[in-house]
Each structure stands twice: as structure tokens, then as C-alpha cells.
Amino acid sequence: MPEYKAPLRDIKFVMDEVLDMPGHYASLSAYADVATPDMIDAIIGEGAKFCENVIAPLNRTGDIEGCTRHEDGSVTTPTGFKEAYKQFVEGGWPSMAHDEEVGGQGLPESLGTVMSEMVGTANWSWGMYPGLSHGAMNTISSWGTQEQKDTYLTKLVSGEWTGTMCLTEPHCGSDLGILKTKAEPNADGSYAISGTKIFISAGEHDMADNIVHIVLARLPGAPEGTKGISLFIVPKFNVAEDGSVADRNAVVCGSIEHKMGIHGNSTCVMNFDGAKGFLIGPENKGLNCMFTFMNTARIGTALQGVTSCEGSFQGALAYAKDRLAMRSLTGPKAPEKPADPIIVHPDVRKMLLTQKAFAEAGRALVYMTALQNDIVHKGDSEEDRKAADELLGLLTPIAKAFLTEAGVEATNLGVQVFGGHGFIAEWGMEQLVRDAKISTIYEGTTGIQALDLLGRKVLMTQGQSLKNFTKMIHKFCQAEEGNEELAPFVSQLVELNKEWGDLTMKVGMSAMKNRDEVGSASVDYLMYSGYVTLAYLWAKMAKAAQDALAAGTTEEDFYKAKLTTARFYFTRILPRTKSHAATMLAGADTLMDLDEEHFAF
Amino acid sequence: MPEYKAPLRDMRFLLNDVFDAPKLWAEMPRLAEAVDPETADAILEEAGKIAGNVLAPLNREADEQGSKWSDGEVTSPDGFKEAYQTYADGGWGGLGGNPEFGGMGMPKMLVGQVEEMVQGSNMSFGLAPMLTAGAALALNAHGSQELKDKYLPNMYSGQWAGAMDLTEPHAGTDLGIIRTKAEPQADGSYAVSGTKIFITWGEHDMAENIIHLVLAKLPDAPAGPKGISLFLVPKFLVNEDGSLGERNQFSCGSIEHKMGIKASATCVMNYDGAKGWLVGEVNKGLNAMFTMMNYERVAVGIQGIGAAENSYQNAVLYANDRIQSRAPTGPVAKDKAADPIIVHPDVRRMLLTMRALTEGGRAFSTYASKWLDIAKFSDNEDDVKHAEAMVALLTPVVKSFLTDTALESAVAGQQIFGGHGFIREWGQEQHVRDIRITQIYEGTNGIQSLDLIGRKIAANGGAFFKIYVEEINQFIAAQEGKDNMVEFITPLKAAVANLVDLTEWVMEKAQSNPNEIGASSVEYLQVFGYTSMAYMFALSAIPALEKADAEPFYANKLATARFFTKRLLPRYISLSEAVKGGADCLYELEAEQF
Ligand SMILES: Cc1cc2nc3c(=O)[nH]c(=O)nc-3n(C[C@H](O)[C@H](O)[C@H](O)COP(=O)(O)OP(=O)(O)OC[C@H]3O[C@@H](n4cnc5c(N)ncnc54)[C@H](O)[C@@H]3O)c2cc1C
Ligand SMILES: Cc1cc2nc3c(=O)[nH]c(=O)nc-3n(C[C@H](O)[C@H](O)[C@H](O)COP(=O)(O)OP(=O)(O)OC[C@H]3O[C@@H](n4cnc5c(N)ncnc54)[C@H](O)[C@@H]3O)c2cc1C
């Protein structure tokens, strides 16, 4: 398994020098006093140690062992997972980014994102256990009654209990409007929940005392479709008056899935058989309630794209310096050895640089998105919150879908750098591919994210949310006019920024004539948007590096490497926009002409 | 349970309508003797049955079981031994073999289609006959009469299997630095010692003997690739009368745990003074390998298509069956709670991408196989030379491009299943894991791309490349002016002009900086691939246009060609621009600065 080393220098670069996160925290009254630079450094440093020493070593073994379900429906997690979780809770990590009223430490959520990056690269499957609690916590803190908060939220925040999100059913995933799980009112004001949920991550495990399921279900007589869905809290163990864990509720794990990857995380079929549940939020507004924090959850999955790139890059880089094969085309570089290390070969470098460029700009994108989320929750003015919410809405599907697709590409490159050894389990590189692949599927597939971006976020706002972002890019470009070193980047960015708007117009026009045009263009549009967004971030990173070099630094190599990677991105990766621009306008008839009976005979 | 139906209709279309194979076969006496259209058809039909009924049903379970190693013995998954017997009894092992030793002497155009079915229905299994055929090919081309008499008949009959032993722990791409030794013995044999790794089906229980072709160095051999010789090393020594004798001095030390093709055993082979016989000339081992390499590389490309076709078939079934959300233009299946996902444009985009890449790939590998056949069977020296040039040029593209596109297809095939695509039971994720190896073995795709631009194009000043471009340009000239071909010919023409331009660019740049070759090679190969596929779809459009009213198959071919032209071909634009980004940006970072 590639050894994990938290990329603290890169993380700090993005936090301090590119996005000015210290300034951001200082500007929010909720965080100004708690999220001080010293505090942040201490937290990240400690977090890095935990990730490197405690959970990274469990990644490979977790993959081999997987989870085991027993006759009685209980699930055992891989060796060491439980103990690591205990340490995590003792370290106070689950409560870090939560409000003090519910037992949290009041630190910013974006700082939690930084920690989640390290956790996720070290061991994604493990990280999903505490990770899934977020959905449950968000639901309860946004929509729960005081009593529900007191009963459940505090325990989730402390990490004593974990949570899940139970949306998917055998016949529906993308289309939750057709879900069937029922909720019948009981005399005592609670509900009896019955139905089958599938693919429930962390639905059953042995790491915490209780599991709080957030379940989507229908009330009797509820309207059909998405407007008849309500949210319920269904604990694994009922909770006694005094808050202690009482008798077992009628919800059991019926089986766990055998999957391509993330073997260390249990993916459960959950059978609800008249389980006691409590309505949370208004009746029939369950999906709307979920939308309020959908973006937060999706940032978490976007992060998986970054962690895939980073983890695979670290492994591939170490190997490329070590493995000897063939001589450099420009003459031997390690004449004392029987062959040169493969990092001398242009193609190997291209693979490494691609991983690096995605990992670093991907990190910047996720952090930038997380900052908007901070403002949405803690912004001091309504105006700030609204602007942040719009930007967040635009960036989230891009970050989620683009970065996870990049993660799949990068992990495959990692395998390729290892040659035949990449295919062998022992080296850990193929596991990264298998683990990464889920990220383009759950939390809304790439296809669904792309529809969200183009349909809901861009076209439904008449392009306004996009304009707000392209204006930001425009401002950056204007400010750098005359900056010679950045000129090659800025000039491309100016052009793309304009083209992005033009393409949006064109797609919008054709969509007015034929609604299929949106779905025909959407994935190409999303990928295009991702490449442009990353270009903006690489230009920003180049600018930060340039400033640091101009100011004088002992870390010249570090900053020069940023400029070099930016050049690589602009010359070798960014041209991909051209094809996407062409194919998104190819027209829906190229997709719809073939009769569905004729796809196969 | 995933299903597999051999795509016989498309195979026949290629052989008969597009490439007119029967005419070609009739023109070459050695082929005219071996094959006619009826025979070919019967062969395809029968192969389809074996693939669909015997091999495909084993695929999923065998992935779960894997091969098992114990004490040097390898047990193949349930059903493999019997399937292997069925395969051998059917005479499939000798399909492309030399008739002098009991082979059937069939053309690669046909053999390739059979390979696709075998690999597509069960890739792990398919590797066993594939490696046996490869070993037999090398032996047939370079072995002494005695070795051939002794080994080939039983390899063709399937009684014995074959394996290829090149890779060592420290050397895969760079075979020049291998360490396995071969010491000459008094009786003319050699004592082979060393460790080979990653040897596919190096040990198993499906055949009574396994014939290894092993690369090793003689004691006084020069360093590097020019000091490597090839040896035949059987698992059981073979007595004068052909019966099996004692066990040879080598064994399987362990098998690997892998991402995919789990049912196939990937073996560490420890040679401990094993008895072997020289195949071909001393120190010419790598050259000997190269002769069979072209066939094997095309076969690996075909493996990719086969598995991608399998993924496609199951994705189509699922997309028609799974209901989720309403069509953007209004409900289609009003009686159901939602519409089948095939109504969604994006699902169609994924399906059509798979379909176009697979059909285009099948056409391209069949086209490359045509040149392999002419090179092997033609009696006309000029034709042979021309064909050899085309084979040399196209082989790395078939291998790399078709395996890269196969991975893309399989990933799309997984995505169409949503969450279920990630679950093993459904079989779609297995195709992704299985196909992934095809980009690595038989020379990584990076190495193939260097072979293309470095050895096959730059090294001969673009001579082979010109032959190919000339052919396409003649085709374009002949089709220009035909109204119904414009939509295919215009984009093809642009793509070819771009490819020519790009080739010149790379060759010129490479003169001042050798790194430009390696910096451009992977994308260059892709541009070459997309352009070639555009040629294939244009070729296919001609018969499809003629018969479009006769059968939906032909109209569908046109729809697929249109999809390819408008939605996949434009990729060459980005790829070409990336190539022209040049090598500099890859070398500004020192190794430590990554
Ligand atoms: C390992 C794992 C963990 C998971 N964890 C959880 C969890 O904790 N909680 C939970 O509730 N769920 C979870 N899921 C479920 C996951 O979120 C769903 O699988 C996902 O939302 C896709 O739904 P589906 O599988 O039903 O696919 P489908 O909705 O059937 O989609 C199939 C295909 O059709 C496409 N498609 C569908 N509708 C449209 C449309 N309108 N337009 C265009 N394309 C469309 C999709 O993009 C996809 O390619 C998990 C799944 C897995 C595999
Ligand atoms: C499942 C499996 C089955 C196999 N079956 C067989 C078999 O039956 N018989 C057999 O002999 N072998 C077999 N192999 C081995 C396989 O052919 C090799 O793994 C492959 O050739 C790559 O060699 P390598 O693993 O040593 O990679 P390396 O040579 O170490 O390559 C590592 C990376 O460096 C790149 N690289 C190396 N040199 C250069 C260069 N000059 N320029 C640019 N890039 C370069 C490669 O492209 C690759 O990305 C098998 C391997 C596997 C995993």
C-alpha cells in the first residue's frame, strides 16, 4: 500500500496563500475568535498524525477483510476499525465543526473539510462511518425539534452514535419520487416505518452504541411523487427518557453487498418492519428539507475525487522514482544502474503531472466551495449568505461530478505507472481505482449532477448563477492584465470565460426547442465547466506562487513547481475543453435517432 | 445473471459486406483451400454457441472463486476443466494453426472473430487458449522441425497448453535486463534457471502438459536485448514415443491476487535447472517473440472489444428494463411509475458511446487482420510487403486504442447500472476490472504508442504511414461527390488532414528534442485511432446506405456512424492540441520537485 503522508504544505498553500482562509475566518463573527491561525495549525497537525498513523495502515487490510454480517443481522467491521474510531471520538474529532449548544467546538465546517480530506485519502472506507453521520446531523440541526436535538444530535456530535441516510430502495435511486417505504402514525405521535432500503452505507456496524437512521418514507394518503415524501428519525435502539440506549427497534440489516471497492464500509440492505420513527421537518416536505443541505453532502463526495487523485499520486510518484526500466530518450540518466528510473520518461511524467494537477486544483475547488458553505451558515449579512448560496449551488455539481471523474482517471493512471504491478492487489494501487469508482455513482450520478448543473443551476436562473462566477473570473483576469508571466494563462482564461457564456446561450436556445437537448449536452457541459473552473484555480495558484517568489522565499522550488504545474495544466489538459465544446452542440438527434428496440438484437 | 450473445450479425456484416473476405480468401490459394463462406459461417455459429452456452455461464462465479494455489499445484475454478475439454474437443485450439501439424490454417479475419467471442464471454478462460496459440505461433515460426513435430500437434489439439515467460521481478518493459540463465548441456539441451513473474496460466489443471516458452540468457550472451534467447521448457518432459515422462525442474511458487481476471492464474515460476530446448537462433529470442507479437497484440485489442461488447449487451438490457424518472419530453411508459432509463439522453449517450467504440473497434481489428492474412497467405511479393507494412503500423494502434476505448466502454456500462454497477452480482464491474489488464500486458499502452510513433513512423521516415494515408485518401476521392456520403467523408477528410499535419509536427519536433516522441505518443496514438475509426465507419456506411431499407441493422449502422462522427470523432481536436503543447512542460520539474 502506498504510504500516506498528509500534504500539509500543499494544504497550507491553498488555505493561506490562495484562498486566504485566515482572512475568511476573521471576517465571520462566528469564527473570528475560535479559528485562529495557531489553532488551525495545531488541529491540522494533529489530524495529519491521526490519519497517517492510525487509519492509513488499516486501508489495505480493510479492503482484504471487508465487513462481515452475522446471522442476527449484526455487522463486524474490519480489524482495527472500531479501535480507530474510539480514538477518533476521544480526540474530539466528530464534534470539531459543530455548534457549542449541541456539544460542538464551534469551529468552521470548512476546517472539517480539510480534516476530511486527510481522513479520506488515508482510508476512505473508514472515513465513511463518521462521514455518513453528517447527513443525519445536518437533517436534525436544520429541521429537528429541540427535543430531537437534545436526544440525538448531541450524541451524534460527540461521536458516541453514528448516523445514516436511508434514501435508496431496490426500485429507485435517482428517482426518489417513486419510493415506497411507508410511515403509519402511532397513537403516541410516533410513526411505524415499514419498507426496504438498500445500499445504506454504514447502516449497521460495531463501532458505535447506536445508529440514527434518517429515513425517507410516505405517510398514508401522501401525494404521489416527490411531493409526498417525509423524513423520519429511526434509531437502531430506542432511546429512553434519560437519553440512554433502550430496547432494539424493528430495523435490521438483512444483508450486505459484495462490491467492487470500499470493502471496509458496510453497504446494507435495511429492513424496516414497523420500526418506531419520528417525523422530522414538515410532512411531505422531506425532499425539500434534504435539499437544504444537499450541497454540504456533495462537497463530501467531491472530496473523494481529490483524495483519489492525491493518494494515487503519492503512490505513483514514489514508485516512478524507484522503478528502473529503459533508458531516457535523451541519454542515460542513471548510468550507474542497469536502467533509468521511469520518471525520466515523458509519458510517465505526463501521468504524474496529470494526477498532481487534478489533486492540487481539486483541493482548491473543494476548499473554495466549503468556504461558501461557511458563509451560507454563518455569514453576517443576508446578502453575503445569498451570494454564497448561489455560488455554492453552481460549484457543487461541478466539484462533485468533475472531481470524481478526475479521480477515476487519476487512479487509473496510478495503476498504469506501476505497469503490471499496478494490477496486483498487494501494491494497493488497484484498490484506489476500485474505491474511487463509487464516487461517480452515489450522491447523484455524474449524469444527474450534470442535469442539476445545466438544467437547475444554470438554465433555470437564466444563466445568472454562472454569470456571477464568470464575473469573478473576469475580475481576476482584469487584475492580472499586463502580468507577463501569467499572460499565457490569463489570455486563455479570458477566452474560455467568454466561450463558457456563449456555449450556455447556444445550449439554452436549442433546449427551448427540444427538451432533450439539455440531457444531450449536460455531461459535456459539466466536464467543460470543470476544466474551466480548474483553469481559474490554477491561474490563482500561479499568481499566489508568483507573489511569494517576488516577495523572496526560502521555498523557491515549491513555488516554481506550482508555476510549472500550472503551465502543464494549461498546455496539456485544458485543450480538452475543445472537444467538449464541439460535442455538447452535436444535437440530441445523434442520441435519439436509434430506436430503443434496435440497441441490441 | 449477466448474459452474452455472440454479435454474429455484425461479424458477418464486416466479413461479407464491408471487407468482402470471401473474395479475398478465394484469391489466395492457401486460404481458398482452407475456407469458404459456408465454412466460415458455420465456424462463427458454432463458436457463438460455445461462448454463449459454455463459457459465459462460468464467468461470474469463476471471478468469485479464482484459481487456487496449493503446494505448487493450481486448481482452476469450477467448470473450467470441463470447458477446456469441450473447447479442445471442438478443435478450436488449432483454428489458426499450421495444417502441417494438424492445424486448420484459418485466416485471422475469422480467427479474430472467434477470439472475440471466447474472450468476450470469459476473458480469464480465454487467456489459456490465447497463450497456447501464441506459444504455438512462435514455435511454428522459429522452432526446429523436431520440436515442431513433437509439440505442435498436441498444442493444437488442446491436449497440451502453452505459456509465455518473459517478465521478471525487475524487468517487464525492459526485457534487455532479464537475468534468467540457460546453461548449455552435453545433450544439446539447456538448463534454465531463474524467476519469472506474472506468467498467465503458467500452471493449471486443465491440460496434461504445459509448454513454456522462456526468455533467458546464455552464459556468454551480450548485455541488453541482443543477448536474449528463447527456450521451450515443458512442464513434463516428453519421451521419444510422445508419452509424458518425468516432471521438469520448475514449479509455480505462488499466484497473484489481482484486480481482475481473477479466475486466471498469474504465476511466479521458479526455474531450477529446468531442461529446455533452444527455439530459433541464439541471442535472437526477442526477434522470435516479435513475429508472434503482432498476432498477440491484435488479440489483446480483440479481448478489449469482446468484454466491452459483453458489457454493452447487459447495459442495453438493463436500460430497457430499469425504470427511473420521466423522459424530458414527457412520459413514455405511461402505464409505469417511471420511464425506462433508455429514454434519457445521457443514458443513450453512454450506450451509443459503447456501441460506436465497440463496432468501430471490431471493424478496425478485422481490417488489421486482413493485412495479417495477406502478409501470411499471399503469394504476391509486393502484396506481402505492403501488408507487412500495414501490419507493423496498425498493430500498436489496435492493441492500445481498442483497449483504452474498451475500458471507457466498460466504465460506461457500469455507470448505466447506477449503484448496481458497483455491486459484484450484476457483473458490470467485473468487466471494468478484467479489461483493465489489457492496457498493461503485451507491452503497456504507453510502450505501444512509442512503438507507433518511434519505430513504425519516425524510424522509416513515415513510409508506412504514407501507404495508409494514401489508401484513405483514395477512398475519400472515390466517395467524394456522393451526396449521401458527405456527412462521413467531410469529417474524415478533416481528420486525415489533421493526422498528417500532426505527424509532420511530431517528426519535425523530435529531431531537436527526442523527448517530443514520448511526450506526444499517447495522445498521438489516440488521434490515429479516432481517425482510423472514422475511416472504418465511412467504409461501413457504403453497404449500410445501399441496404438501409432492407433490414433495420443497416439503418442502425448509419445511426451509430453518425453518432461517432458527431460525438466521438471531435475528440481528436483536443488531443492534437495537447500534443502540440509539447514536451517542455513535462520537464520543467526535477524529479524531487514533484
Ligand atoms: C456503495 C454504495 C453506497 C451507497 N450509499 C448510500 C447511502 O448511504 N444511502 C442511500 O440512500 N443511498 C446510497 N447509495 C445509493 C446511491 O446513491 C444510488 O445508487 C444512486 O443514487 C443511483 O441510483 P440507482 O442506483 O438507483 O441508479 P438509477 O437511478 O437506476 O440510475 C441508473 C442510470 O440511469 C441514469 N439516470 C437515471 N435517471 C436519469 C435521468 N432522469 N436523466 C439521465 N440519466 C438518468 C443514472 O445516471 C444512471 O446512470 C449507495 C450506493 C452504493 C453502490
Ligand atoms: C495479470 C498479468 C498477466 C501477465 N501475463 C504475462 C505473461 O503471461 N507472460 C509474461 O511474460 N508477462 C506477463 N505479464 C507481465 C506484463 O507483460 C508486464 O507487466 C508489462 O509488460 C509491463 O512491465 P512491468 O510490469 O515491468 O512495468 P514497467 O516496465 O516497470 O513499467 C512501469 C511504467 O513505466 C512505463 N515505462 C517503462 N519504460 C518506459 C519508457 N521507455 N518510456 C515510457 N514509459 C515507460 C510503462 O509504460 C509503465 O507505465 C502479465 C502481467 C499481469 C499483471
Side-chain angles (χ1 to χ4, degrees):
Chain A
M1 196 72 202
E3 213 176 297
Y4 176 62
K5 196 109 185 43
L8 290 179
R9 185 64 191 90
D10 283 323
I11 288 176
K12 291 292 285 172
F13 174 68
V14 172
M15 290 182 78
D16 297 346
E17 299 168 70
V18 183
L19 300 176
D20 185 21
M21 282 167 68
H24 159 84
Y25 294 140
S27 76
L28 296 173
S29 50
Y31 297 140
D33 297 333
V34 279
T36 57
D38 290 348
M39 184 69 173
I40 291 173
D41 275 353
I43 288 174
I44 296 177
E46 278 309 304
K49 273 189 224 153
F50 173 80
C51 296
E52 290 168 0
N53 303 331
V54 181
I55 57 174
L58 303 175
N59 197 20
R60 182 77 199 94
T61 51
D63 180 65
I64 297 169
E65 255 183 67
C67 294
T68 315
R69 178 187 170 275
H70 308 283
E71 280 293 295
D72 62 354
S74 65
V75 169
T76 314
T77 53
T79 310
F81 271 41
K82 196 172 161 176
E83 292 72 19
Y85 185 72
K86 191 153 173 272
Q87 279 193 49
F88 187 71
V89 172
E90 283 166 5
W93 294 106
S95 65
M96 181 170 89
H98 293 277
D99 291 347
E100 284 162 26
E101 307 99 78
V102 289
Q105 300 170 43
L107 286 157
E109 271 194 64
S110 55
L111 197 59
T113 301
V114 176
M115 178 61 181
S116 297
E117 183 205 315
M118 298 190 285
V119 168
T121 317
N123 191 334
W124 188 266
S125 297
W126 184 90
M128 282 177 73
Y129 291 100
L132 259 295
S133 293
H134 279 284
M137 292 193 275
N138 283 321
T139 315
I140 302 173
S141 69
S142 311
W143 302 101
T145 61
Q146 191 57 43
E147 192 195 337
Q148 287 170 338
K149 287 184 190 167
D150 292 342
T151 310
Y152 301 101
L153 192 53
T154 48
K155 293 284 175 34
L156 288 166
V157 165
S158 72
E160 285 163 88
W161 300 351
T162 65
T164 74
M165 295 301 291
C166 300
L167 288 65
T168 307
E169 299 186 5
H171 66 293
C172 70
S174 304
D175 188 3
L176 295 170
I178 57 176
L179 67 79
K180 292 181 183 152
T181 297
K182 279 188 315 214
E184 303 267 355
N186 295 323
D188 65 355
S190 68
Y191 293 81
I193 313 286
S194 300
T196 304
K197 295 285 177 178
I198 64 165
F199 294 162
I200 305 310
S201 298
E204 181 58 56
H205 59 81
D206 56 359
M207 291 164 47
D209 299 339
N210 201 0
I211 300 175
V212 181
H213 302 286
I214 303 291
V215 184
L216 289 184
R218 284 179 186 285
L219 291 168
E224 279 187 20
T226 50
K227 297 201 171 82
I229 297 173
S230 309
L231 277 174
F232 299 88
I233 299 178
V234 184
K236 172 177 167 186
F237 289 100
N238 292 310
V239 182
E241 284 295 324
D242 65 355
S244 65
V245 164
D247 57 325
R248 189 78 159 76
N249 203 350
V251 45
V252 288
C253 168
S255 63
I256 58 175
E257 304 290 346
H258 300 276
K259 314 185 289 289
M260 182 184 200
I262 54 165
H263 292 166
N265 196 266
S266 59
T267 307
C268 306
V269 173
M270 298 302 297
N271 297 319
F272 295 83
D273 192 11
K276 201 177 182 117
F278 306 92
L279 181 71
I280 175 165
E283 283 184 10
N284 297 333
K285 292 267 168 14
L287 276 189
N288 295 17
C289 292
M290 299 241 335
F291 270 118
T292 54
F293 53 81
M294 203 74 110
N295 290 326
T296 326
R298 289 182 173 168
I299 297 174
T301 313
L303 204 49
Q304 190 175 1
V306 179
T307 66
S308 303
C309 296
E310 175 68 33
S312 184
F313 172 63
Q314 290 195 11
L317 176 59
Y319 193 76
K321 290 180 184 173
D322 190 55
R323 176 76 174 175
L324 308 178
M326 314 293 279
R327 290 299 179 188
S328 161
L329 294 167
T330 50
K333 295 293 175 292
E336 74 289 1
K337 297 193 177 140
D340 288 333
I342 58 173
I343 198 169
V344 305
H345 303 308
D347 184 44
V348 172
R349 284 181 164 249
K350 200 159 60 122
M351 295 194 273
L352 293 170
L353 279 162
T354 305
Q355 295 181 303
K356 184 178 164 71
F358 282 146
E360 293 182 10
R363 171 178 300 118
L365 174 55
V366 172
Y367 289 10
M368 178 168 80
T369 311
L371 295 189
Q372 307 314 313
N373 191 48
D374 284 349
I375 303 173
V376 170
H377 292 291
K378 305 285 177 184
D380 290 303
S381 77
E382 177 60 28
E383 204 189 334
D384 290 355
R385 289 196 293 270
K386 196 165 165 280
D389 197 37
E390 252 194 32
L391 185 54
L392 177 66
L394 178 82
L395 293 179
T396 300
I398 300 178
K400 195 289 180 179
F402 180 83
L403 294 179
T404 56
E405 293 291 340
V408 171
E409 176 178 345
T411 49
N412 270 304
L413 293 175
V415 164
Q416 201 68 17
V417 170
F418 271 66
H421 299 271
F423 199 69
I424 307 302
E426 186 191 340
W427 292 89
M429 298 304 283
E430 59 86 39
Q431 181 189 337
L432 298 179
V433 177
R434 289 186 290 102
D435 288 354
K437 187 61 191 83
I438 188 58
S439 62
T440 65
I441 299 171
Y442 58 19
E443 277 299 331
T445 60
T446 299
I448 297 296
Q449 298 294 335
L451 285 177
D452 180 50
L453 173 70
L454 180 58
R456 287 172 45 98
K457 303 295 171 52
V458 176
L459 296 180
M460 254 163 65
T461 65
Q462 263 77 46
Q464 193 53 47
S465 63
L466 175 65
K467 267 187 215 131
N468 295 342
F469 184 50
T470 50
K471 223 182 269 168
M472 267 173 75
I473 299 180
H474 179 70
K475 268 199 196 149
F476 171 85
C477 293
Q478 257 183 342
E480 299 313 317
E481 230 179 45
N483 181 337
E484 251 179 56
E485 194 175 13
L486 294 198
F489 307 154
V490 171
S491 62
Q492 277 190 70
L493 201 49
V494 168
E495 251 173 64
L496 285 167
N497 208 28
K498 183 172 169 305
E499 187 184 55
W500 198 358
D502 294 346
L503 288 167
T504 306
M505 284 272 287
K506 284 186 191 154
V507 174
M509 298 284 279
S510 56
M512 286 198 289
K513 287 183 225 126
N514 178 0
R515 311 243 345 234
D516 275 335
E517 289 293 346
V518 175
S520 159
S522 51
V523 168
D524 279 311
Y525 184 85
L526 182 134
M527 295 306 286
Y528 178 95
S529 305
Y531 287 116
V532 179
T533 305
L534 257 55
Y536 167 59
L537 289 162
W538 265 117
K540 266 178 87 78
M541 292 197 280
K543 166 76 179 140
Q546 190 191 33
D547 288 350
L549 285 165
T553 169
T554 53
E555 297 179 302
E556 258 189 41
D557 282 354
F558 175 80
Y559 291 110
K560 281 190 177 154
K562 293 284 174 255
L563 284 162
T564 308
T565 311
R567 265 193 290 281
F568 169 79
Y569 181 81
F570 273 87
T571 34
R572 306 282 320 211
I573 303 288
L574 195 54
R576 294 182 187 183
T577 50
K578 295 256 157 84
S579 305
H580 289 299
T583 50
M584 79 173 79
L585 299 175
D589 51 345
T590 55
L591 305 177
M592 309 316 282
D593 279 355
L594 192 63
D595 191 304
E596 57 204 47
E597 296 306 314
H598 293 171
F599 273 81
F601 287 89
Chain B
M1 187 70 192
E3 285 179 33
Y4 176 80
K5 252 170 56 194
L8 296 178
R9 184 67 192 86
D10 198 42
M11 291 174 169
R12 292 191 177 117
F13 169 72
L14 290 172
L15 292 179
N16 301 324
D17 292 334
V18 181
F19 296 114
D20 200 357
K23 178 160 171 273
L24 199 74
W25 296 337
E27 283 165 8
M28 293 186 275
R30 274 179 292 155
L31 274 182
E33 242 167 67
V35 64
D36 55 45
E38 290 72 40
T39 317
D41 222 45
I43 287 174
L44 290 179
E45 198 73 44
E46 283 309 307
K49 283 186 198 151
I50 294 225
N53 305 337
V54 180
L55 303 179
L58 300 175
N59 194 35
R60 188 73 276 284
E61 190 48 37
D63 178 67
E64 294 298 332
Q65 251 186 12
S67 276
K68 295 276 182 319
W69 181 94
S70 168
D71 217 7
E73 305 286 330
V74 170
T75 314
S76 58
D78 290 346
F80 270 39
K81 213 171 152 171
E82 294 73 19
Y84 189 88
Q85 197 57 49
T86 308
Y87 187 89
D89 291 347
W92 297 103
L95 198 62
N98 185 349
E100 198 186 323
F101 304 97
M104 288 164 71
M106 290 292 161
K108 179 78 178 181
M109 279 178 102
L110 186 61
V111 175
Q113 316 288 22
V114 174
E115 281 170 345
E116 186 194 319
M117 301 184 225
V118 173
Q119 305 293 345
S121 56
N122 191 330
M123 197 161 141
S124 284
F125 175 89
L127 279 160
M130 176 170 152
L131 281 149
T132 306
L137 206 77
L139 188 59
N140 181 55
H142 300 281
S144 64
Q145 189 66 33
E146 197 189 339
L147 284 180
K148 290 199 268 194
D149 284 335
K150 200 161 179 177
Y151 293 95
L152 277 180
N154 283 343
M155 291 173 82
Y156 289 150
S157 76
Q159 201 173 340
W160 299 346
M164 306 290 296
D165 302 39
L166 291 67
T167 308
E168 299 185 5
H170 67 294
T173 301
D174 194 355
L175 294 169
I177 57 177
I178 60 166
R179 296 182 186 138
T180 298
K181 279 181 320 205
E183 304 264 358
Q185 304 296 300
D187 64 356
S189 71
Y190 293 79
V192 177
S193 300
T195 301
K196 294 286 177 181
I197 64 165
F198 295 163
I199 306 310
T200 301
W201 288 121
E203 177 58 45
H204 58 83
D205 57 358
M206 298 185 289
E208 59 176 43
N209 201 3
I210 303 174
I211 314 304
H212 290 258
L213 290 191
V214 183
L215 287 183
K217 299 189 104 143
L218 292 174
D220 53 353
K226 297 204 169 78
I228 296 173
S229 307
L230 183 63
F231 298 89
L232 181 152
V233 188
K235 174 175 166 186
F236 288 101
L237 297 175
V238 180
N239 297 323
E240 282 304 319
D241 64 356
S243 63
L244 294 187
E246 63 185 284
R247 178 85 192 233
N248 207 347
Q249 287 301 305
F250 71 93
S251 64
C252 170
S254 63
I255 61 175
E256 306 288 347
H257 299 277
K258 318 186 285 293
M259 180 181 194
I261 52 166
K262 285 172 186 262
S264 73
T266 306
C267 306
V268 173
M269 300 301 303
N270 297 315
Y271 291 87
D272 192 13
K275 214 174 176 71
W277 287 271
L278 183 70
V279 175
E281 289 174 48
V282 164
N283 296 337
K284 291 270 163 64
L286 274 188
N287 294 14
M289 280 288 183
F290 276 127
T291 42
M292 50 84 52
M293 217 81 111
N294 285 330
Y295 278 83
E296 289 295 281
R297 286 183 175 170
V298 171
V300 173
I302 288 173
Q303 262 189 323
I305 307 168
E309 167 72 32
N310 190 327
S311 177
Y312 172 71
Q313 292 182 8
N314 287 291
V316 172
L317 288 175
Y318 194 78
N320 275 300
D321 191 50
R322 174 76 170 172
I323 59 169
Q324 207 76 187
S325 308
R326 288 298 179 187
T329 48
V332 174
K334 296 201 181 75
D335 52 322
K336 297 195 179 134
D339 288 331
I341 58 173
I342 198 164
V343 304
H344 302 307
D346 188 53
V347 171
R348 284 177 166 255
R349 180 188 60 82
M350 294 191 274
L351 285 172
L352 279 160
T353 300
M354 299 177 80
R355 181 187 176 101
L357 294 176
T358 305
E359 289 186 5
R362 182 176 297 125
F364 190 47
S365 65
T366 307
Y367 173 74
S369 299
K370 176 183 98 172
W371 294 116
L372 275 167
D373 287 338
I374 297 174
K376 182 168 169 184
F377 294 107
S378 172
D379 295 326
N380 178 318
E381 222 173 288
D382 289 342
D383 289 352
V384 170
K385 256 201 157 143
H386 179 115
E388 279 172 347
M390 290 296 284
V391 166
L393 181 73
L394 299 180
T395 307
V397 188
V398 173
K399 195 277 177 183
S400 289
F401 188 60
L402 300 195
T403 57
D404 284 348
T405 52
L407 185 77
E408 178 181 347
S409 290
V411 170
Q414 179 181 24
Q415 195 70 16
I416 288 164
F417 276 63
H420 300 272
F422 199 67
I423 307 301
R424 296 219 289 262
E425 172 191 355
W426 291 88
Q428 292 298 81
E429 59 88 43
Q430 184 187 339
H431 295 306
V432 177
R433 289 186 289 103
D434 286 352
I435 285 176
R436 189 64 188 80
I437 187 59
T438 61
Q439 299 172 299
I440 298 171
Y441 60 22
E442 265 323 298
T444 63
N445 286 0
I447 296 301
Q448 301 295 332
S449 70
L450 284 178
D451 182 49
L452 173 69
I453 183 77
R455 285 167 42 101
K456 304 298 174 54
I457 295 181
N460 56 39
F464 298 172
F465 178 72
K466 280 188 200 114
I467 299 177
Y468 185 43
V469 170
E470 178 66 25
E471 176 185 316
I472 305 179
N473 281 337
Q474 274 175 13
F475 169 77
I476 292 173
Q479 297 304 317
E480 253 174 341
K482 292 191 190 159
D483 281 350
N484 56 5
M485 284 294 286
V486 171
E487 59 176 321
F488 305 114
I489 294 302
T490 309
L492 173 63
K493 201 171 166 182
V496 174
N498 171 75
L499 181 63
V500 169
D501 169 70
L502 193 66
T503 309
E504 281 164 8
W505 187 92
V506 176
M507 289 194 359
E508 194 196 311
K509 286 281 167 184
Q511 284 174 357
S512 52
N513 179 3
N515 273 335
E516 289 289 355
I517 297 261
S520 59
S521 58
V522 168
E523 283 106 335
Y524 176 84
L525 184 143
Q526 301 259 336
V527 175
F528 196 112
Y530 285 112
T531 308
S532 297
M533 252 190 209
Y535 179 35
M536 293 302 119
F537 276 112
L539 281 172
S540 303
I542 297 175
L545 283 165
E546 272 168 27
K547 302 184 187 175
D549 298 331
E551 204 191 316
F553 175 88
Y554 295 103
N556 296 340
K557 191 53 92 177
L558 292 171
T560 310
R562 285 186 191 114
F563 171 84
F564 175 83
T565 309
K566 291 203 179 141
R567 303 214 48 140
L568 300 179
L569 183 60
R571 293 179 180 180
Y572 78 76
I573 303 167
S574 290
L575 291 160
S576 303
E577 187 168 321
V579 166
K580 291 186 177 174
D584 290 349
C585 64
L586 303 177
Y587 280 89
E588 290 176 49
L589 280 186
E590 295 298 325
E592 299 72 49
Q593 289 171 338
F594 274 83

